[in-house]
Amino acid sequence: MTGPGDHHEDDAVLAAEHVLGLLGGEELDRAERRLETDPDYRALYAAWAEDFVSLTHDMTPVTPPVRVRNAIDRRLFGARREGLLRRLGLWPALSAAALAAGTYLVVTNLDLLRPGPEAPPFGAEIAADDRSLVVRVAFDPDAPEMLRVLRPSGAAAPGRALELWLIAGDAAPVSLGVLPEDREGRVTVPEDLQPLLSQAVLAISDEPAGGSPTGAPTGAVLGAGPVTRL
Amino acid sequence: MSRQTEIEAMIGRVALGDRAAFGALYDATSAKLFGICLRVLNDRAEAEDALQEIFVKLWHNAGRYQVNGLSPMTWLITIARNHAIDRLRARRKAESRGGGDMDAMADLADAGPGPEALAVAASENQRIDRCMSELEPDRAAAVRGAYLTGESYAELAERHGVPLNTMRTWLRRSLMRLKECLTR
């Protein structure tokens, strides 16, 4: 990004860089403030935004699957706040057990996840009691939007999926999505869940292919583990 | 009522917490915004996640519409594009942070559409396309790369094999020429 010594002769160019996302640091902060206070700059910004948006006009609209709409409704309006397992009272017990038993395993077994010296310092191990399923998750607290997932043991049953859940305190489990079919992969964490991650318990349930149709766990809970510093 | 006016009215009602208007806004715009997410992210599952986040943001931020003077579709597309770009950047950052064991992530990076492919796919009847075509092809590709894949000056410089300051000068000159053309 440009340093503070850089002077823009032309606000039009600055506004274009702003729309393109090429500004950073102080320069971006200043431009953001001008957007609020300087009508001329705002007009330049708006004109560029309109022009650049036409670069998307040839992008074909694609109807999203209905599960996206359902997930949005659930998140915003809490259509199914009380998941089945929660109503059965299983989640709190499971969370407590996982918290009691999990830490030792996490500390000893997460080495495999470390890619190098800059290892993600947070993670969890989610394992079945008999170790028939073992999933390890790690993430960098500076980049909590992405979980690295390693599954050294176990797999989804044929035609089924393994779904990852985040449980924050006493709240109902929130889906983090279906685990990748590959043994190594990644899971994206929605922005509003990222702050909860380091204090959460992660769990895995057995679900229909594509994930739980209801937004709450519907199948057996295969394992759970707390997120800890590695 | 024109489509733009309709969408503007929906955003206004969403800002007041009208769920029915939110549903109507979703019906009217989700396909376009999903198409953009798919194109930028080139990964269906991630595009679905992105679309979900975008509409959650729209619900919470509809009251901020008109703050920056954008037309309603431009506002919506800009939010979608910016969110998709943020994800793409996070992905690139995670990859460069040394996920050498993460083959799946590397594959995703390789699968991204190059700016050249994006440039070829662009239609010719838009004003900006006409003006972009007046730029040298590699400079037009850099501008498109910045908008459609969120590449930084450093990334653009690396991909085009020029020093950072050269890329900055190139791009700023190109933007100035673009502006001249667009305001003709």
Side-chain angles (χ1 to χ4, degrees):
Chain A
M1 296 298 148
T2 47
D6 267 307
H7 291 294
H8 284 275
E9 305 278 329
D10 192 345
D11 273 355
V13 173
L14 178 69
E17 291 178 299
H18 192 177
V19 172
L20 289 173
L22 289 167
L23 301 180
E26 269 182 43
E27 208 172 20
L28 178 62
D29 293 343
R30 272 202 305 276
E32 289 285 329
R33 274 199 302 278
R34 284 189 68 189
L35 208 51
E36 287 168 18
T37 57
D38 179 345
D40 292 339
Y41 182 75
R42 188 156 60 231
L44 284 170
Y45 176 94
W48 277 116
E50 300 288 345
D51 282 326
F52 281 131
V53 155
S54 18
L55 292 176
T56 68
H57 284 178
D58 66 314
M59 296 186 187
T60 317
V62 180
T63 304
V66 71
R67 62 176 169 267
V68 177
R69 172 76 174 269
N70 292 342
I72 293 165
D73 283 348
R74 250 181 344 258
R75 272 177 67 189
L76 290 178
F77 313 125
R80 298 281 299 247
R81 291 201 90 77
E82 296 292 302
L84 180 63
L85 284 158
R86 182 146 182 83
R87 282 203 305 271
L88 293 173
L90 285 178
W91 281 104
L94 187 64
S95 309
L99 280 165
T103 315
Y104 171 73
L105 288 173
V106 168
V107 172
T108 52
N109 285 328
L110 272 158
D111 287 344
L112 284 174
L113 263 184
R114 298 189 179 183
E118 286 197 53
F122 278 87
E125 177 176 271
I126 306 151
D129 287 342
D130 60 1
R131 312 287 293 168
S132 60
L133 173 73
V134 179
V135 172
R136 295 182 192 125
V137 172
F139 66 94
D140 179 341
D142 292 327
E145 67 276 6
M146 189 171 307
L147 299 179
R148 296 154 174 278
V149 178
L150 192 66
R151 182 165 46 79
S153 151
R160 305 283 294 176
L162 298 174
E163 190 160 3
L164 184 64
W165 302 88
L166 179 149
I167 309 160
D170 290 332
V174 183
S175 177
L176 291 174
V178 169
L179 289 186
E181 282 179 29
D182 293 339
R183 291 198 170 272
E184 289 185 352
R186 62 194 178 81
V187 167
T188 306
V189 181
E191 209 175 321
D192 56 337
L193 299 179
Q194 290 167 18
L196 307 175
L197 204 52
S198 61
Q199 308 286 327
V201 170
L202 299 180
I204 290 173
S205 68
D206 167 57
E207 297 293 345
S212 162
T214 69
T218 60
V221 179
L222 305 174
V227 173
T228 59
R229 188 179 284 278
L230 301 183
Chain B
M1 207 160 36
S2 79
R3 186 159 179 272
Q4 289 275 7
T5 323
E6 279 175 38
I7 290 172
E8 192 152 52
M10 288 174 198
I11 295 172
R13 294 211 312 276
V14 170
L16 299 173
D18 181 336
R19 287 192 200 179
F22 183 69
L25 183 68
Y26 185 91
D27 291 338
T29 63
S30 58
K32 179 68 194 173
L33 302 186
F34 190 48
I36 290 167
C37 293
L38 281 170
R39 182 70 167 273
V40 171
L41 292 163
N42 201 29
D43 176 320
R44 203 172 169 93
E46 195 168 7
E48 287 182 21
D49 285 352
L51 189 68
Q52 193 187 130
E53 295 298 318
I54 288 160
F55 273 91
V56 169
K57 277 186 190 181
L58 289 176
W59 174 256
H60 292 303
N61 294 315
R64 296 182 57 195
Y65 170 66
Q66 278 184 340
V67 171
N68 47 17
L70 303 182
S71 69
M73 271 322 284
T74 296
W75 186 69
L76 295 170
I77 289 172
T78 300
I79 287 175
R81 177 263 178 189
N82 289 352
H83 181 75
I85 292 291
D86 284 347
R87 282 176 172 260
L88 202 57
R89 286 177 171 168
R91 195 200 285 171
R92 284 202 292 262
K93 196 172 144 200
E95 279 154 8
S96 67
R97 213 196 297 268
D101 55 334
M102 306 292 275
D103 290 342
M105 283 158 65
D107 288 348
L108 278 169
D110 293 343
E116 291 78 8
L118 295 170
V120 168
S123 65
E124 289 176 358
N125 55 359
Q126 299 291 338
R127 202 164 54 112
I128 189 145
D129 290 320
R130 179 173 54 75
C131 291
M132 291 280 260
S133 70
E134 292 185 9
L135 302 175
E136 291 83 351
D138 55 348
R139 315 232 165 154
V143 173
R144 278 182 205 279
Y147 187 73
L148 297 176
T149 65
E151 285 182 299
S152 65
Y153 274 129
E155 288 165 325
L156 289 167
E158 191 183 335
R159 196 160 54 71
H160 289 263
V162 297
L164 183 60
N165 281 331
T166 306
M167 175 47 71
R168 218 174 253 158
T169 309
W170 264 28
L171 205 70
R172 285 182 183 158
R173 274 199 201 128
S174 304
L175 291 169
M176 249 183 280
R177 284 180 51 196
L178 209 49
K179 190 73 192 171
E180 277 163 28
C181 172
L182 289 166
T183 48
R184 273 210 287 271

